């Protein structure tokens, strides 16, 4: 087995200092990823999450951009153009070409209404309002409600969870019991009660949703805080006499961020869902304001004859929910090393 | 190198893992034999490829594993060529495995009696009652007290040491030809470690199985193994009998491992561990993988991989220091001492041989 | 076990007591009386009605009376149907809600288990992708949208199922599907995650090392270990079904408590709303208690003792 090849003269000289540094640097060349880099890499690989992020960006830009540019005034009533179906220029497929079936015959609704030169890409509602503009408007309201509610819910949930987890002991037990009691009534019931007390409207919806949906965040944050509390860097900070507030902001929050971000991605669609349900029931947003829920409710009344009036808002609502869920999933997989492949 | 005595022959095994960053070359040309009835220890730092080797033998590698080359001959058949069905028949019947962490390797929701009986039901087609009866015998054999009453307990009702006994019972219930123990004591307390090792030795005699004993701790090898293979960065760098590895080590990596091992003399003092970290197997270095951490590195180490140099018939080391042209180096003091002991032992052996006449030579051809 | 049960039941009663108390005083904050829906009445008539509802007594007396009544299942008289006790109104409606709720739960969880475990077993294949897609879709489409779509396409257009009526089992199919979609999606997702975790665990590797076949490993070890934790989400799923039923019952004209809840909210029928809140909370507490006990029974690691937590 010994070698038979002729080796260079100096082969058996001990390694020089230069060579050694070269060897050492080779070692470092290995790509060692930090936690954030690693998470980022995994997120980047997740096509669903990426598409969702892009879709959400588009939805946000369009919904909020429509404050400045909207194809039509979402509240402009025009009875003569009422209930016009979808008409997207250049698309001849039934359902998108401005025709609908009347008494067994497909007719051009736009011609009938004397609006052949117009096109409403999502059609119009029973008052002749442009559905596309209303969907944009409704999306905006739904998103605002969801985001503001989530922001409150985040603040309450994170503070409550951190406090409970940090204090531990009796205080923790009592705080957890309170959560259990809140959780023993279905959220929607509590929300409805709160809205009845606060009078229906955007603000009360936001408050009601915020006041009921923080429990999940609080529980997750508490669990994580209890784990972190025992770790050395926190113990060190405590022995060094850092104040609880300092520890919370400097040490706890950064380490809680992945839990918080992931859970937020699931809180937002939940809030959107609650808002839609409330408006659908009829105690949410009321006209002339619109949200995806009210649009669904309006559309559902005529679904048999003018299905597009519900299809469009339903589609937008589902896409937003889908995107948040996929993004949340993607983030969770990215932050959770267990799913590492 | 076919050999009657070899029950397992691993040749030129190469295993890569496909990852996002490229291929991790986890096993890079590994060959070794396991003889009937012996215990072969495979020693190396964590990450050196010990577990991948055992998983490859069991046919249980991760889905991203690619066995690039090699053969694993068990009783003459190449395990790597066997179908999944054929491997199922071998696993737990001919080759069994014990894993590192007894706390997680038992099904938490199944009674332990049933878990021990399972291999019997799978391989011997036994009915549950009969298999449970035999499982009970096995429980007694591995030293679980009050076995009759504990057969219906769940894993969480046992301590770590007891759980490892249960895992051993599962592995041995079919009297396998080969037992692979992948760091079976790493997760246990020192006192429990000794008990488990004793149990394994004892059972090996009773049911005459061959053991591949994986560990990163040379300390537990001494009383356990007949032969030792030292593994580094996906390669075997030195192998020989226990005495040869312990008292006449030739590879600087083995020196490092031995120096970082607690002994009676060093006691609880700070142990010098090998400085540096193992190389990245995504892009293994040219030449000797240990060069960067090797205080005795030669120029050639950075250029060419060392072949195995023969020390004795049973002892080989893959280091350029063994090359006739290599400069004479003085190993660390501790190693020198060990080698001196070895020399003494050898000369004593020669003396006793002279007085008692030649003993039967243990020719162990590699 | 008995000690544990007693303790849990004590907590259940305590929770309900707090729920009743809080709802009662919240309701007192609300504007409106039983007279809001009535035409002009004379002073004496008003006094009479106030007496009938006990509204002339001090609040704390009203509260005690309410509490005493609630214990016996008496939640006062409906504002909307002024001669009907709330308990009577609701008792006839609870059956249909329970039926579709249970059906939706069973349907959703069973199909969810199947979808989820196939996804996990065929991890990172098209099976997994479609299973994930189904579950994400089920979570993303609100049940009331699904209800309208099912009603229109399967009911009206294809005529497979009767709609807007309530009768035998056939009438429950569409609402069950609409309500079961989210539990299906949630449990599929949950089971997939659990099973992926379980499949990569050490004891599964040991099971493989024993020589068990793929199906043997799944059937004897993976399934049980990944399904046991599913019990923990039955509570949240029940909440989801209760929430969904409020709208879905409306869409399918099911005479259940969900539909009644919405009706009562729209007509400010406070006694009925309160009664329903308590009933919902009671049902949820029972579900949570039941699942906790079940979990303790099926998971050998959890020993039910009288000790807290
Ligand atoms: N599934 C896998 N994918 C990628 N790399 C792997 C995989 N399994 C093991 N490895 C790599 O193979 C090398 C050897 O691992 P292992 O055999 O577990 O080491 P040990 O000697 O500690 O048992 C390590 O570098 C490890 O990162
Ligand atoms: Mg290992």
């Amino acid at each position: 087995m010994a070698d038979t090849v002729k080796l260079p003269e100096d082969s058996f000289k001990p390694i020089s200092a230069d060579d050694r540094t070269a060897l050492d640097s080779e070692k470092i060349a290995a790509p060692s990823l930090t936690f954030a880099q690693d998470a980022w890499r995994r997120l980047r690989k997740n096509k669903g999450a990426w598409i969702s992020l892009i879709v959400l960006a588009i939805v946000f830009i369009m919904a909020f951009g429509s404050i400045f540019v909207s194809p039509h005034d979402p509240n402009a009533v025009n009875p003569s153009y009422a209930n016009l179906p979808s008409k997207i220029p250049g698309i001849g497929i039934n359902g998108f070409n401005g025709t609908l079936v009347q008494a067994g015959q497909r007719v051009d609704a736009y011609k009938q209404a004397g609006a052949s030169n117009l096109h409403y890409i999502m059609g119009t509602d029973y008052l002749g309002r442009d559905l596309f503009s209303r969907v944009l408007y409704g999306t905006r309201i739904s998103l605002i409600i969801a985001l503001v509610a989530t922001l409150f819910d985040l603040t309450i949930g994170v503070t409550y969870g951190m406090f409970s987890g940090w204090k531990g002991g009796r205080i923790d037990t009592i705080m957890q019991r309170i959560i259990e009691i809140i959780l023993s009534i279905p959220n929607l019931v509590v929300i409805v009660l709160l809205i009845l007390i606060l009078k229906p409207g955007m603000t009360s919806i936001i408050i009601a949703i915020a006041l009921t949906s923080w429990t999940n965040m609080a529980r997750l944050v508490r669990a994580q805080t209890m784990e972190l509390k025992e770790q050395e860097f926190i113990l060190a900070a405590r022995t060094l006499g850092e104040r609880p507030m300092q520890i919370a902001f400097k040490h706890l929050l950064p380490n809680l961020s992945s839990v918080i971000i992931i859970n937020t991605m699931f809180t937002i669609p939940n809030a959107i869902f609650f808002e839609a349900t409330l408006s659908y029931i009829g105690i949410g947003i009321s006209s002339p304001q619109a949200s995806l829920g009210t649009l669904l409710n309006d559309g559902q009344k005529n679904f048999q004859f003018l299905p597009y009036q519900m299809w469009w808002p339903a589609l937008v609502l589902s896409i937003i929910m889908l995107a948040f869920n996929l993004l949340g999933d993607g983030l969770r997989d990215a932050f959770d090393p267990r799913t590492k492949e | 190198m076919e050999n009657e005595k070899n029950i397992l022959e691993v040749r030129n095994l190469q295993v890569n893992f496909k990852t996002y960053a490229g291929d991790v070359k986890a096993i890079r040309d590994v060959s070794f034999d396991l003889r009937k009835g012996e215990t072969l220890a495979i020693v190396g730092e964590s990450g050196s490829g010990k577990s991948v080797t055992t998983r490859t033998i069991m046919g249980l590698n991760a889905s991203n594993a690619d066995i690039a080359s090699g053969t694993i001959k068990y009783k003459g058949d190449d395990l790597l060529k066997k179908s999944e069905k054929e491997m199922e028949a071998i696993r737990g019947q001919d080759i069994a495995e014990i894993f590192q962490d007894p706390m997680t390797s038992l099904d938490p929701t199944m009674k332990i009696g049933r878990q021990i009986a399972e291999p019997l039901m799978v391989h011997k087609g036994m009915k549950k009652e009969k298999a449970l009866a035999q499982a009970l015998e096995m429980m007694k054999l591995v030293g679980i007290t009050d076995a009759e009453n504990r057969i219906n307990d769940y894993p969480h009702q046992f301590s770590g040491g007891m759980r490892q006994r249960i895992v051993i019972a599962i592995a041995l219930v079919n009297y396998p030809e080969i037992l692979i123990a992948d760091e079976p004591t790493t997760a246990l307390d020192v006192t429990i470690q000794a008990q488990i090792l004793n149990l394994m030795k004892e059972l090996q005699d009773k049911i005459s199985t061959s053991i591949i004993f994986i560990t990163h701790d040379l300390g537990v090898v001494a009383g356990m193994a007949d032969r030792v293979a030292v593994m580094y960065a996906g390669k075997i760098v030195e192998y020989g009998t226990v005495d040869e590895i312990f008292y006449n080590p030739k590879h600087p990596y083995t020196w490092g491992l031995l120096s970082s091992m607690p002994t009676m003399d060093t006691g609880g003092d700070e142990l010098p561990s090998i400085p540096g970290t193992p190389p990245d197997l995504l892009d293994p270095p040219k030449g000797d993988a240990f060069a960067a951490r090797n205080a005795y590195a030669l120029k050639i180490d950075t250029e060419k991989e060392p072949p195995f140099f023969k020390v004795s018939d049973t002892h080989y080391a893959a280091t350029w220091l063994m090359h006739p042209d290599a400069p004479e180096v003085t190993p660390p003091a501790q190693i020198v001492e060990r080698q001196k002991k070895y020399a003494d032992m050898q000369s004593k052996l020669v003396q006793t041989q002279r007085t008692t006449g030649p003993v039967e030579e243990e020719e162990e051809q590699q | 076990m008995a000690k544990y049960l007693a303790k849990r039941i004590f907590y259940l009663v305590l929770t309900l007591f707090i729920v009743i108390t809080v709802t009662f005083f919240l309701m007192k904050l609300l504007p409106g009386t039983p007279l809001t829906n009535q035409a002009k009445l004379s002073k004496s008539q008003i006094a009479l009605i106030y007496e009938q509802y006990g509204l002339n007594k001090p609040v704390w007396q009203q509260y005690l009376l309410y509490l005493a009544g609630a214990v016996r299942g008496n939640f006062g008289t409906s504002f909307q149907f002024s001669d009907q006790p709330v308990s009577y109104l609701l008792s006839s409606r609870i059956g249909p809600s329970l039926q579709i709720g249970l059906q939706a739960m069973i349907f959703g969880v069973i199909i969810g288990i199947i979808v989820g475990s196939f996804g996990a077993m065929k991890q990172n294949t098209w099976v997994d992708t479609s299973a994930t897609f189904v579950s994400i879709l089920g979570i993303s489409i609100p049940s009331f949208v699904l209800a309208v779509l099912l009603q229109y396409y399967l009911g009206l257009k294809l005529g497979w199922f009767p709609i807007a009526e309530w009768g035998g089992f056939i009438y429950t199919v569409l609402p069950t599907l609409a309500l079961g979609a989210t539990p299906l999606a949630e449990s599929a997702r949950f089971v997939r995650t659990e099973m992926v975790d379980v499949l990569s665990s050490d004891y599964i590797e040991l099971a493989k090392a024993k020589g068990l076949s793929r199906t043997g490993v799944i059937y004897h070890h993976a399934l049980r270990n990944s399904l046991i934790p599913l019990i923990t989400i039955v509570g949240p799923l029940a909440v989801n079904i209760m929430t969904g039923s409020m709208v879905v019952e409306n869409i399918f004209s099911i005479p259940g408590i969900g539909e009644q809840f919405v009706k009562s909210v729209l007509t400010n029928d406070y006694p009925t709303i309160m009664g329903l809140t308590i009933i919902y909370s009671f049902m949820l507490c029972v579900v949570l208690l039941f699942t906790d006990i079940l979990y303790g029974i099926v998971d050998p690691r959890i020993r039910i003792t009288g000790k807290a937590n």
Side-chain angles (χ1 to χ4, degrees):
Chain A
M1 282 220 234
D3 87 337
T4 48
V5 209
K6 188 105 181 77
L7 294 166
E9 288 282 297
D10 64 344
S11 287
F12 293 98
K13 291 240 171 69
I15 196 166
S16 68
D18 285 355
D19 283 343
R20 184 163 292 283
T21 38
L23 276 176
D24 282 346
S25 64
E26 192 170 349
K27 214 169 53 197
I28 310 166
S32 87
L33 302 177
T34 66
F35 175 71
Q37 281 172 323
D38 207 26
W40 175 241
R41 173 185 68 76
R42 266 175 277 151
L43 185 64
R44 246 186 1 204
K45 251 187 21 185
N46 189 328
K47 274 184 233 119
W50 265 110
I51 296 172
S52 303
L53 199 63
I54 294 167
V55 166
L56 285 177
I58 294 173
V59 168
F60 268 82
I61 291 171
M62 286 179 67
F64 287 93
S66 68
I67 301 174
F68 312 107
V69 266
S70 180
H72 297 268
D73 178 350
N75 291 322
V77 177
N78 194 345
S80 49
Y81 294 161
N83 294 332
L84 290 176
S86 235
K87 182 177 171 187
I88 303 172
I91 294 184
I93 310 161
N94 285 340
F96 302 104
N97 59 3
T99 63
L100 77 165
V101 180
Q102 245 171 28
Q105 281 209 308
R106 188 160 278 281
V107 294
D108 186 339
Y110 282 74
K111 206 178 258 168
Q112 279 184 344
S116 298
N117 55 337
L118 289 173
H119 59 86
Y120 294 98
I121 62 172
M122 289 187 185
T124 59
D125 69 359
Y126 66 103
L127 291 175
R129 294 176 292 197
D130 174 35
L131 195 56
F132 181 47
S133 309
R134 285 191 73 68
V135 166
L136 287 178
Y137 175 59
T139 306
R140 187 165 77 234
I141 300 290
S142 290
L143 285 178
I144 291 175
I145 291 176
L147 291 179
V148 177
T150 304
L151 198 69
F152 277 118
D153 141 275
L154 207 90
T155 324
I156 305 173
V158 172
T159 319
Y160 194 100
M162 266 182 11
F163 190 79
S164 179
W166 184 258
K167 284 285 175 191
R170 202 171 192 87
I171 294 180
D172 179 48
T173 313
I174 293 171
M175 289 178 83
Q176 290 316 113
R177 272 277 127 67
I178 292 175
I179 288 187
E180 273 166 36
I181 290 171
I182 294 175
L183 285 178
S184 69
I185 315 176
N187 260 355
L188 190 65
V189 174
V190 186
I191 293 179
V192 167
L193 293 184
L194 288 173
I195 290 177
L196 285 181
I197 293 162
L198 300 168
K199 312 256 163 44
M202 205 161 144
T203 324
S204 13
I205 295 179
I206 291 176
I207 295 174
I209 294 178
L211 282 182
T212 48
S213 48
W214 55 270
T215 45
N216 216 13
M217 180 71 86
R219 289 185 142 190
L220 292 172
V221 168
R222 166 183 175 265
Q224 187 84 4
T225 304
M226 292 182 95
E227 247 173 60
L228 288 171
K229 195 168 73 168
E230 300 305 326
Q231 282 182 12
E232 260 163 50
F233 68 102
I234 301 279
L235 290 177
R238 278 171 109 172
T239 25
L240 286 178
E242 281 191 55
R243 267 168 296 133
M245 271 301 185
Q246 253 177 322
I247 296 177
F249 279 98
K250 246 172 66 188
H251 304 294
L252 281 179
L253 266 184
N255 284 290
L256 290 168
S257 57
S258 56
V259 171
I260 296 174
I261 292 170
I262 294 165
N263 195 46
T264 305
M265 287 303 134
F266 295 114
T267 315
I268 296 174
N270 244 347
I272 294 176
F273 168 76
F274 277 129
E275 184 282 317
T277 308
L278 290 172
S279 301
Y280 192 89
I281 292 176
I283 56 166
I285 298 294
S286 47
S287 20
Q289 278 190 317
S291 74
L292 289 172
T294 57
L295 293 174
L296 280 170
N297 192 10
D298 288 345
Q300 162 259 342
K301 289 173 190 147
N302 272 330
F303 189 67
Q304 204 173 329
F305 308 105
L306 303 161
Y308 69 89
Q309 287 187 356
M310 175 162 159
W311 264 117
W312 284 116
L315 203 65
V316 173
L317 176 66
S318 301
I319 286 176
I320 295 175
M321 304 266 289
L322 190 71
F324 272 114
N325 275 310
L326 280 176
L327 185 59
D329 272 0
L331 283 169
R332 188 177 48 200
D333 291 348
F335 283 130
D336 187 354
R338 274 186 319 173
T339 51
K340 192 175 189 171
E341 265 293 280
Chain B
M1 284 181 255
E2 297 278 321
N3 189 318
E4 281 289 292
K5 285 195 251 167
N6 289 345
I7 188 152
L8 193 77
E9 293 180 343
V10 177
R11 288 290 172 276
N12 306 104
L13 189 64
Q14 289 191 20
V15 181
N16 302 329
F17 288 101
K18 306 228 172 307
T19 70
Y20 74 97
D23 281 7
V24 175
K25 294 156 199 83
I27 304 294
R28 307 181 299 141
D29 197 13
V30 160
S31 303
F32 63 88
D33 298 324
L34 179 68
R35 299 185 190 152
K36 249 195 187 107
E38 80 163 346
T39 299
L40 170 72
I42 301 182
V43 188
E45 284 170 303
S46 122
S48 53
K50 307 179 299 288
S51 295
V52 174
T53 309
T54 67
R55 281 204 206 97
T56 310
I57 296 171
M58 294 291 281
L60 290 177
N61 254 326
S63 56
N64 61 338
D66 167 40
I67 299 168
S69 79
T71 57
I72 300 176
K73 288 244 169 85
Y74 168 69
K75 290 184 170 171
D77 293 341
D78 187 356
L79 293 182
L80 296 177
K81 293 214 171 65
K82 293 212 182 274
S83 70
E84 180 56 28
K85 267 253 121 26
E86 290 169 317
M87 279 312 287
E88 277 165 18
I90 289 175
R91 286 198 284 265
Q93 164 72 20
D94 298 70
I95 308 179
E97 186 166 7
I98 306 172
F99 297 97
Q100 176 171 345
D101 190 354
M103 301 315 270
T104 55
S105 46
L106 290 168
D107 184 335
T109 61
M110 190 186 266
K111 294 175 178 163
I112 58 138
R114 175 72 205 271
Q115 297 197 45
I116 300 172
E118 225 174 9
L120 294 167
M121 292 156 72
V122 172
H123 294 288
K124 303 259 166 40
M126 272 188 205
K127 285 270 168 314
K128 200 172 165 189
E129 289 69 41
K130 194 161 170 237
L132 280 176
Q134 205 158 323
L136 184 65
E137 289 313 304
M138 206 63 211
M139 285 172 70
K140 290 176 183 162
L141 198 63
V142 297
I144 293 167
T145 44
D146 198 16
E148 283 87 356
N149 289 321
R150 305 219 65 181
I151 191 161
N152 285 326
D153 281 356
Y154 289 93
H156 72 271
Q157 292 163 287
F158 293 87
S159 68
M162 280 296 149
R163 287 194 211 188
Q164 198 61 308
R165 284 172 195 264
I166 296 167
V167 174
I168 291 173
I170 293 173
L172 296 183
V173 74
N174 272 330
Y175 287 48
E177 300 272 355
I178 299 174
L179 173 67
I180 300 174
D182 191 350
E183 313 216 15
T185 57
T186 305
L188 301 172
D189 291 346
V190 183
T191 47
I192 313 285
Q193 266 188 26
Q195 290 173 12
I196 295 291
L197 292 175
N198 282 338
L199 176 70
M200 285 180 63
K201 278 250 69 110
E202 202 181 294
L203 289 176
Q204 181 175 26
D205 293 341
K206 273 194 195 146
I207 70 177
S208 69
T209 178
S210 317
I211 298 180
I212 298 180
F213 185 85
I214 309 278
T215 179
H216 67 259
D217 178 8
L218 259 178
V220 300
V221 167
M224 214 32 222
D226 302 306
R227 290 192 305 132
V228 181
V230 179
M231 203 163 175
Y232 183 75
K235 277 176 171 290
I236 290 180
V237 295
E238 181 167 11
Y239 61 89
T241 64
V242 169
D243 285 345
E244 285 165 338
I245 296 298
F246 270 77
Y247 297 108
N248 193 23
K250 293 296 181 195
H251 199 286
Y253 180 63
T254 316
W255 295 348
L257 284 182
L258 282 166
S259 311
S260 57
M261 181 183 97
T263 63
M264 288 305 185
D265 316 329
T266 52
D269 288 359
E270 190 116 322
L271 295 167
S273 65
I274 309 172
T277 51
D280 180 17
L281 293 176
L282 271 172
D283 181 23
K286 202 171 105 200
D288 186 349
F290 187 57
R293 301 168 71 188
N294 184 359
Y296 308 91
L298 303 173
K299 191 145 189 302
I300 189 166
D301 279 326
T302 63
E303 286 154 9
K304 212 164 153 18
E305 278 189 46
F308 272 114
F309 292 92
K310 182 171 169 174
V311 184
S312 77
D313 282 343
T314 52
H315 186 185
Y316 290 81
T319 167
W320 285 117
L321 292 178
M322 294 287 294
H323 192 274
D325 296 343
E328 197 71 33
V329 298
T330 329
Q334 204 202 85
I335 303 298
V336 174
E337 221 166 278
R338 281 172 178 277
Q339 287 173 341
K340 217 160 75 210
K341 252 190 220 164
Y342 184 74
D344 288 354
M345 265 163 40
Q346 291 299 88
S347 60
K348 262 193 211 130
L349 201 68
V350 173
Q351 268 170 18
T352 43
Q353 260 176 26
R354 274 204 198 116
T355 52
T356 60
V359 288
E360 204 175 307
E361 202 175 327
E362 272 187 56
E363 172 73 351
E364 283 177 318
Q365 197 75 43
Q366 172 64 33
Chain C
M1 182 73 190
K3 212 171 150 199
Y4 172 80
L5 259 183
K7 196 184 167 98
R8 285 302 311 260
I9 288 170
F10 168 73
Y11 275 126
L12 190 149
V13 172
L14 184 71
T15 306
L16 285 176
F17 167 75
I18 294 174
V19 168
I20 293 174
T21 309
V22 172
T23 9
F24 179 86
F25 287 103
L26 277 181
M27 286 296 163
K28 283 292 146 202
L29 293 176
L30 285 175
T33 62
L35 312 179
T36 322
N37 299 332
Q38 317 262 329
K40 285 206 167 73
L41 295 166
S42 73
K43 266 227 166 80
S44 61
Q45 275 173 311
I46 291 176
L48 202 71
I49 290 171
Y50 265 61
E51 204 176 310
Q52 184 195 338
Y53 284 95
L55 293 173
N56 51 350
K57 297 199 179 75
V59 171
W60 65 268
Q61 262 185 26
Q62 290 181 35
Y63 169 66
L64 290 182
L65 282 174
Y66 189 83
L67 206 56
V71 171
R72 282 174 269 126
N74 176 7
F75 302 112
T77 311
S78 161
F79 283 2
Q80 190 193 358
F81 309 97
S82 37
D83 48 352
Q84 275 200 38
V86 171
S87 49
Y88 176 76
L89 185 68
L90 299 184
S91 61
S92 63
R93 284 177 162 265
I94 204 148
S97 291
L98 279 180
Q99 190 188 349
I100 56 162
L102 281 176
Q103 282 179 199
M105 180 74 88
I106 293 167
F107 157 77
V109 168
I110 289 179
I111 307 290
I113 289 173
I114 295 171
V115 171
S117 24
F118 269 100
M121 284 188 279
K122 311 265 171 193
Q123 210 186 333
N124 301 328
T125 63
W126 67 268
V127 180
D128 190 18
T129 313
S130 358
T132 309
F133 189 70
V134 165
S135 46
I136 292 267
L137 218 57
I139 289 165
S140 304
I141 301 178
S143 54
F144 53 89
V145 171
L146 197 62
V148 173
L149 298 183
L150 286 174
Q151 186 180 46
Y152 181 66
Y153 291 103
L154 297 191
L156 206 64
K157 266 211 151 151
L158 296 173
W160 290 355
F161 301 98
I163 53 166
E165 268 178 285
W166 184 246
F169 173 75
I170 191 80
Y171 297 88
T172 67
V173 174
L174 291 182
T176 301
L177 290 181
L179 275 181
T182 316
L184 189 160
E186 294 277 7
S187 38
R189 212 146 103 124
F190 188 88
V191 168
R192 184 193 174 273
T193 317
E194 278 299 318
M195 193 121 153
V196 166
D197 234 35
V198 166
L199 283 178
S200 66
S201 67
D202 289 353
Y203 60 84
I204 292 296
E205 179 149 14
L206 182 71
K208 289 182 192 159
K210 285 177 182 178
L212 262 73
S213 63
R214 221 187 128 64
T215 39
V217 170
I218 302 276
Y219 185 74
H220 290 296
H221 297 278
L223 265 183
R224 185 157 21 108
N225 281 293
S226 26
L227 292 190
I228 287 175
L230 187 64
I231 296 171
T232 57
I233 68 161
V234 167
L237 291 184
V239 174
N240 189 283
I241 288 177
M242 288 177 193
T243 307
S245 73
M246 293 178 192
V247 193
V248 170
E249 285 183 7
N250 244 306
I251 292 169
F252 288 101
S253 311
I254 297 167
I257 53 173
E259 194 223 8
Q260 181 61 51
F261 185 77
V262 175
K263 241 190 228 161
S264 305
V265 166
L266 295 177
T267 56
N268 287 344
D269 186 352
Y270 301 140
T272 312
I273 296 176
M274 266 174 79
L276 277 169
T277 306
I278 296 162
I279 287 175
Y280 274 124
S281 165
F282 176 74
M283 291 196 300
L284 187 52
C285 285
V286 170
V287 169
L288 291 174
L289 176 64
F290 176 72
T291 51
D292 268 12
I293 293 173
L294 189 66
Y295 199 66
I297 292 172
V298 296
D299 191 327
R301 280 165 296 186
I302 295 173
R303 283 228 208 98
I304 294 180
T305 58
K307 263 172 63 189
N309 301 321

